[in-house]
């Protein structure tokens, strides 16, 4: 049975969906004012792996991930760039999709944008006002009454009394309580805005997810996910809004991906250790980055460093070297189900990808033995490896394509390597083994490793 760690209960729980065989999953997406960074990639890949696995096991998953395309950061950045909010966000959304495609991340079923759901957001705020959970302030903003909601703090473990005592008292006090948060911001001169019953304005950050998740999935979600910084205040505020408006549980399971550190430090622009996905992909193969992100459990922190990516590259090379020169069978029929069974046991244990990868490495070992012995099981073992790795979005490339890589400035081209391999083959045919060995060593010095087999010589870059 699938077990999921629930942030709300701080424990693993058997997964029981609202509707048999169906899962409604909402994940908080990106605020598109800049290029996505490696922390965004962690969330994207983590929930992509979960979705792939759940569907592979037969679940009908409705995966929704929103896009925040209007907020303070976006408005400021657009003004700095001398472009409209729409121009900035459209450009950043296109860039995000490019990054996702490179990382083999599948698109969600629905990708609602805040600007496309203003009617739903206004309707949601109206519901809260009607139930007296929200009020109009003197400046035209709408605020949520935090202390009216008795369950506030249950997700993050925050206590209302402690929050109240530590709250900053604003000079121009517009709120009934310092804990109250904004649902609707009255328009300022020159800002993008939308009409509402309370005047022109735009939504606060928290309300958008409550409104869009209700529209795209329903009043109660099976799973609500997001990044490590969201339990408080964002998800706590979502719970308060949604359960007050809908009079029912908002989400049955809360899942949060762990943080990314850089060389054991918190990733931060102020520390100058902030990496966008596209900058990382200029240096590293996208599948190496994806493997790196799946090599740690989704809830744990992961340390981004050049050594970590080198290790990820080495691990993937082992997979592709095992597959190199092998034509996988059309199906994996005939392979014992011991690998699939253990793979599923790992993934059913709160999507434990490190344990799942360990099972795949055992399969690689058996595949290598089969290659050495020219076993008739070789094609079906290769098919099983690709099938199970594919559930994690891995081994998506041709082995030669991955191992040889693109031609880079300062390296031997693939065409040049093939010429030297032909020269070495001729030397061996002429029984000039010293020359053949010299060529092998020279290529190794250039970062090219040769592998001889009955089928001929293959190569890959170190």
């Amino acid at each position: 049975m699938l077990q999921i760690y629930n942030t709300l209960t701080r424990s693993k729980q058997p997964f029981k969906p609202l509707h048999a065989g169906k899962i409604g999953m909402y994940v908080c997406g990106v605020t598109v004012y800049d290029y996505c960074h490696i922390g965004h990639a962690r969330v994207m890949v983590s929930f992509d792996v979960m979705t792939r696995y759940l569907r592979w096991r037969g679940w009908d998953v409705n995966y929704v991930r929103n896009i925040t395309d209007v907020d303070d950061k976006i408005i400021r950045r657009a003004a700095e760039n001398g472009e409209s909010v729409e121009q900035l966000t459209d450009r950043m959304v296109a860039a995000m999709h490019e990054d996702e495609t490179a990382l083999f991340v599948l698109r969600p079923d629905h990708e609602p944008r805040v600007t496309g759901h203003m009617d739903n957001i206004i309707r949601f705020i109206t519901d809260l006002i009607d139930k007296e959970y929200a009020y109009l302030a003197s400046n035209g903003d709408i605020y949520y009454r935090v202390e009216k909601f008795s369950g506030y703090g249950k997700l993050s473990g925050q206590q209302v009394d402690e929050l109240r005592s530590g709250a900053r008292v604003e000079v121009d006090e517009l709120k009934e309580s310092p804990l109250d948060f904004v649902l609707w911001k009255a328009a300022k001169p020159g800002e993008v805005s939308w009409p509402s019953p309370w005047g022109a304005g735009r939504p606060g950050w928290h309300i958008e997810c409550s409104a869009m998740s209700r529209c795209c999935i329903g009043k109660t979600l099976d799973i609500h996910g997001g990044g490590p910084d969201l339990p408080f205040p964002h998800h706590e505020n979502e719970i308060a809004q949604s359960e007050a408006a809908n009079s029912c549980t908002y989400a049955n399971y809360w899942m949060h991906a762990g943080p990314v550190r850089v060389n054991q430090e918190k990733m931060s622009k102020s520390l100058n250790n902030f990496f966008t996905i596209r900058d990382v992909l200029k240096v590293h193969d996208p599948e190496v980055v994806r493997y790196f992100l799946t090599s740690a459990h989704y809830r744990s922190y992961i340390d981004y460093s050049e050594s970590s990516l080198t290790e990820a590259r080495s691990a993937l090379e082992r997979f592709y070297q095992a597959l190199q020169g092998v034509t996988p069978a059309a199906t994996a029929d005939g392979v014992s189900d011991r690998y699939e069974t253990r793979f599923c046991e790992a993934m059913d244990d709160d999507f434990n990808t490190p344990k799942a990868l360990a099972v795949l490495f055992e399969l690689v070992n058996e595949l290598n033995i089969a290659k050495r012995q020219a076993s008739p099981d070789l094609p079906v073992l290769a098919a099983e490896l690709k099938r199970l790795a594919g559930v994690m979005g891995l081994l998506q490339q041709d082995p030669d394509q991955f191992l040889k890589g693109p031609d880079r400035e300062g390296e031997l081209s693939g065409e040049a390597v093939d010429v030297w391999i032909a020269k070495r083959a001729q030397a061996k045919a002429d029984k000039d083994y010293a020359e053949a060995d010299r060529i092998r060593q020279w290529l190794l010095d250039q970062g090219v490793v040769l592998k001889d087999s009955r089928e001929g010589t293959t190569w890959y870059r170190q």
Side-chain angles (χ1 to χ4, degrees), residues 362-402:
E362 291 184 25
L363 180 50
V364 165
N365 290 337
E366 184 171 348
L367 180 56
N368 285 328
I369 293 170
K371 285 180 77 173
R372 290 194 295 269
Q373 297 176 347
S375 168
D377 293 335
L378 185 57
V380 291
L381 288 169
E384 182 72 344
L385 177 59
K386 284 186 66 66
R387 184 174 76 96
L388 295 179
V391 175
M392 300 175 68
L394 298 172
L395 303 189
Q396 303 290 295
Q397 303 180 62
D398 175 80
D400 281 344
Q401 174 191 344
F402 176 84

Side-chain angles (χ1 to χ4, degrees), residues 33-40 77 262 265-277 279-280 304:
Y33 71 100
D34 205 344
Y35 293 113
C36 294
H37 55 67
I38 200 69
H40 294 136
R77 181 61 56 85
V262 179
E265 291 186 309
K266 181 180 179 181
M267 186 173 69
S268 167
K269 287 185 177 180
S270 63
L271 296 175
N272 198 30
N273 63 356
F274 180 88
F275 298 97
T276 66
I277 296 172
D279 283 344
V280 172
Y304 177 90

Side-chain angles (χ1 to χ4, degrees), residues 337-348:
D337 65 359
R338 67 185 184 281
Y339 291 113
E340 179 178 323
T341 298
R342 292 172 56 224
F343 178 85
C344 291
E345 287 173 351
M347 294 297 285
D348 283 345

Side-chain angles (χ1 to χ4, degrees), residues 114 117-130 134 142 183-184 193-204 207-208 211-212 214:
V114 174
H117 280 261
M118 285 299 166
D119 288 346
N120 291 323
I121 291 169
I122 291 169
R123 189 177 304 116
F124 205 104
I125 295 172
T126 301
D127 291 345
L128 291 171
I129 292 174
D130 290 346
I142 305 289
L183 302 174
W184 184 263
S193 64
W194 287 261
S196 81
W198 323 287
R202 56 188 171 85
I207 192 65
E208 65 187 58
M212 291 190 290
R214 184 170 77 172

Side-chain angles (χ1 to χ4, degrees), residues 418-441 443 450 452 457:
D418 290 337
V419 169
W420 281 104
I421 288 175
K423 289 181 179 179
R424 176 171 175 266
Q426 185 60 53
K428 291 173 71 175
D430 294 340
K431 299 190 182 327
D432 188 353
Y433 299 115
E435 175 65 5
D437 289 344
R438 186 193 70 79
I439 292 173
R440 173 190 279 275
Q441 184 59 49
L443 287 172
L450 303 185
D452 295 321
T457 300

